[in-house]
Amino acid sequence: MKSSEKQMTPLKPGNADWQSRKEAAIARAIGILAPVYIEHAKNAEMWDVEGQRFIDFATGIAVCSTGHTNPKVTAAVQQQLQLFSHTCFGITPYSSAVELAEKLNELAPGSTPKKTMFVTTGAEAVENCVKIARAHTGRRGVIAFNGGFHGRTMMAMGLTGKITPYKNLFGPFPGDIFHVPFPIEYLGITLEQTLSALDTLFQVDIAASDVAAIIVEPVQGEGGFYPASNEFLQALRKLCDEHGIVLIADEVQSGFARTGKFFCCEYAGVEPDLMSVAKGVAGGFPLAAVIGKAAIMDAPLPGGLGGTYAGSPIGCAAALAVIDVIDEENLVVRANGIGAMFARRLTQLQQQYPDVIGDIRAQRGAMIAMELVKNGDPNLPDAELTKALVTSAWQNGLILLSCGSRGNVIRFLPALTISDNLINEGMDIVSRCLNTLLA
Ligand SMILES: Cc1ncc(COP(=O)(O)O)c(C=O)c1O
C-alpha cells in the first residue's frame, strides 16, 4: 500500500460543522443561542464537542435545577430503564406516577385537598389548566397578562402576551382570550392600572360571570423576570373568589424550589385553584403536571385528559429523585443564598455602570435578572447591548440567557447545586464582558 493510501483517522466534527449541518437539516425557526454543541455536562458545567468548558447560568431554561447528570436523578432513571420505559399510564398504570402525584399534592400550597394530572411539556400543562377550568365553570373566557409567556401550542400561544417571535404568522388563535397589563413597578405600571383594566374588560369585552380563568406567572419569565407582587396575587385571588373564576398560577418556570419557596405563589400566601408545573420538576426529563384543587381537577369526564406519554415512568422516576435531592440538599434555602450572592455581585456591577444596569431583580431566590438600559432610563431599553453580552459571554465560556418583552433583560438561572466558586467565576466573566463592551 502506498503511503498516500494509508487510512487517515477522520477528523471529529467541530461546532462549525454541526452548525452548518443543523442549518441544512433543522427548520430555521428553531433558533440557537450559542452554536456550541454539548458533549457532556456535570452539575453547573458543560463541555462541547471541541472540549471547551462552559459555566451554565441557564440550566436549559430553568430545568436542570438539581444540576446536570445529578447522580441520584441519573441512578433513578437508570434503574427505571432496566424495568420498563413506557406502558402508557392510561392503559397499564405504574406506582411511581401515583406516588409522585401524592407528593405534589402535599407540596402544593394551601390546605384544600389536591389532585394532579401529568403531561409532558409546560405548554401542555397550560392547555390542560384551561380545559379543566372550562369544564369546572362551564364558561369560555380566559384572561392573561401582557408580556406573559405560556408556551407554543395554540392555546398557550394565544395566552402569551407578546407577538414577536412567538405569534407572528401563526394566527388565528383560539377565541375568548383577553390580555390586561401586568403591574411592573420599574416600568411605572401600577396595580391600580391592572385592576382598572380588568374592571373595564368586564364592562366592555366579557362579563366576569363568563370568565373561566385568570392565568398568571408568579414571576413573569420570558417577559422579563418581573415578580408579581404579593398584593397583586392577593388581589387576583380576591377577584377570582368574588366572581367564581379559576385562578391558574403558571409555575412552569418559577416552581420547584427555583424562587426560594417550593412554589413561588407561597410568597403571597395565595392558594391557586390550579398550577401548571414543568421544567425543574424532573431535572431534565420531559415531565409536566397540573396540580389543583381536587373538586376542580375532577370536573372533566373520565378519558377527557391524558396523552400517550403523559406521566412517563422515566419522568416520574426522575421527579421523585429530584424531590429527594431538593429536600436532602435543602435547595429551597440554597436558592435564596444563590439569589443573595448574585444580588451582591450585580449591585457592585451596577455601582460601576449605574446608567446601564437600570434594575436588578433578586427578590425571588435564584430567579435573578438585570435590566439593561441607556442613560439609566427605564424607557430606553438596550436590547443591542443585551444581545452582545449574551454572545460575548458564551464566547468566553459562560452560558447566559436574555429575556424581556423588550429584549433587554439578562436572566440568571443557575443550578441550585452550583458552588459559590462557580457563581463568582461566572460573574467575573459577566464583568469582564461588560467592561469590554462598554470600553
Ligand atoms: C411560564 C411558562 N409557562 C409555560 C412554558 C412552556 O413550557 P414548555 O416549553 O415546556 O412547553 C414556559 C416555557 O418557558 C414558561 O416559562
Side-chain angles (χ1 to χ4, degrees):
M1 188 193 282
K2 285 192 219 152
S3 65
S4 60
E5 287 173 355
K6 271 192 194 147
Q7 283 242 305
M8 304 276 286
T9 324
L11 271 181
K12 191 177 163 195
N15 289 320
D17 303 299
W18 285 115
Q19 184 59 13
S20 70
R21 285 168 67 175
K22 179 265 169 194
E23 276 159 19
I26 295 183
R28 66 174 184 167
I30 306 289
I32 301 275
L33 178 136
V36 291
Y37 284 73
I38 298 304
E39 199 167 65
H40 63 107
K42 191 164 174 43
N43 197 11
E45 293 165 284
M46 307 191 286
W47 288 264
D48 72 7
V49 288
E50 297 177 3
Q52 301 178 94
R53 165 188 176 258
F54 298 89
I55 296 172
D56 187 9
F57 277 3
T59 51
I61 324 187
V63 169
C64 300
S65 300
T66 46
H68 292 286
T69 54
N70 181 291
K72 283 208 171 130
V73 178
T74 306
V77 166
Q78 279 169 340
Q79 199 186 352
Q80 179 59 46
L81 275 173
Q82 302 298 320
L83 299 171
F84 63 95
S85 60
H86 179 77
T87 63
C88 187
F89 186 79
I91 306 301
T92 47
Y94 32 88
S95 59
S96 57
V98 178
E99 206 187 325
L100 179 60
E102 287 168 353
K103 292 209 170 176
L104 295 178
N105 296 340
E106 274 299 306
L107 286 164
S111 54
T112 316
K114 304 289 189 311
K115 283 196 175 183
T116 286
M117 56 94 49
F118 294 111
V119 279
T120 312
T121 67
E124 254 189 296
V126 167
E127 297 274 339
N128 280 279
C129 283
V130 173
K131 285 169 67 174
I132 295 166
R134 282 187 169 156
H136 171 70
T137 58
R139 303 175 181 180
R140 59 188 174 93
V142 188
I143 299 174
F145 291 91
N146 298 355
F149 180 82
H150 299 287
R152 294 170 185 272
T153 52
M154 273 296 170
M155 176 50 91
M157 195 173 30
L159 293 170
T160 290
K162 188 185 178 198
I163 299 290
T164 307
Y166 308 120
K167 296 166 91 157
N168 304 84
L169 308 178
F170 296 137
F173 303 108
D176 295 318
I177 294 171
F178 306 89
H179 287 96
V180 292
F182 185 90
I184 300 174
E185 199 181 329
Y186 180 63
L187 300 179
I189 308 168
T190 64
L191 176 57
E192 287 65 39
Q193 284 169 328
T194 298
L195 296 179
S196 150
L198 281 164
D199 199 41
T200 307
L201 184 77
F202 293 153
Q203 289 172 45
V204 173
D205 284 317
I206 183 163
S209 56
D210 279 338
V211 176
I214 297 180
I215 183 165
V216 63
E217 292 164 90
V219 177
Q220 274 203 336
E222 306 300 303
F225 274 35
Y226 299 109
S229 69
N230 294 346
E231 298 71 35
F232 173 38
L233 291 181
Q234 287 157 6
L236 289 183
R237 180 67 277 174
K238 187 160 170 275
L239 193 80
C240 286
D241 287 343
E242 272 166 23
H243 297 288
I245 297 170
V246 171
L247 180 62
I248 303 170
D250 184 349
E251 292 261 11
V252 164
Q253 196 161 159
S254 59
F256 256 73
R258 169 60 52 191
T259 63
K261 301 271 185 199
F262 209 94
F263 292 106
C264 186
C265 51
E266 291 170 41
Y267 277 101
V270 159
E271 179 179 6
D273 298 309
L274 299 175
M275 283 195 304
S276 45
V277 301
K279 291 189 183 283
V281 67
F285 294 87
L287 185 80
V290 177
I291 314 168
K293 293 181 179 167
I296 300 178
M297 291 293 292
D298 276 341
L301 302 175
L305 304 176
T308 306
Y309 295 108
S312 132
I314 311 291
C316 289
L320 286 166
V322 163
I323 293 172
D324 283 348
V325 173
I326 291 174
D327 187 37
E328 285 160 16
E329 300 186 22
N330 222 350
L331 294 183
V332 174
V333 172
R334 176 63 182 153
N336 287 316
I338 291 171
M341 251 191 104
F342 271 92
R344 267 197 306 281
R345 292 293 308 250
L346 290 171
T347 304
Q348 285 161 6
L349 212 52
Q350 193 182 33
Q351 280 159 1
Q352 200 183 342
Y353 298 113
D355 287 346
V356 174
I357 301 179
D359 193 30
I360 295 168
R361 292 190 279 281
Q363 311 91 318
R364 294 287 186 264
M367 203 164 170
I368 310 140
M370 65 174 176
E371 180 144 356
L372 302 182
V373 295
K374 295 174 186 158
N375 306 330
D377 184 346
N379 297 313
L380 294 178
D382 200 339
E384 296 76 29
L385 178 64
T386 307
K387 211 168 168 199
L389 180 56
V390 168
T391 302
S392 166
W394 71 256
Q395 287 172 343
N396 285 279
L398 173 69
I399 304 299
L400 265 191
L401 287 178
S402 62
C403 65
S405 296
R406 307 180 303 166
N408 68 321
V409 177
I410 298 284
R411 55 176 151 171
F412 303 92
L413 287 165
L416 305 179
T417 46
I418 192 172
S419 67
D420 287 359
N421 282 346
L422 273 186
I423 294 176
N424 278 325
E425 195 185 333
M427 281 308 299
D428 288 344
I429 298 175
V430 173
S431 282
R432 278 202 307 276
C433 292
L434 259 190
N435 291 343
T436 308
L437 291 167
L438 296 170

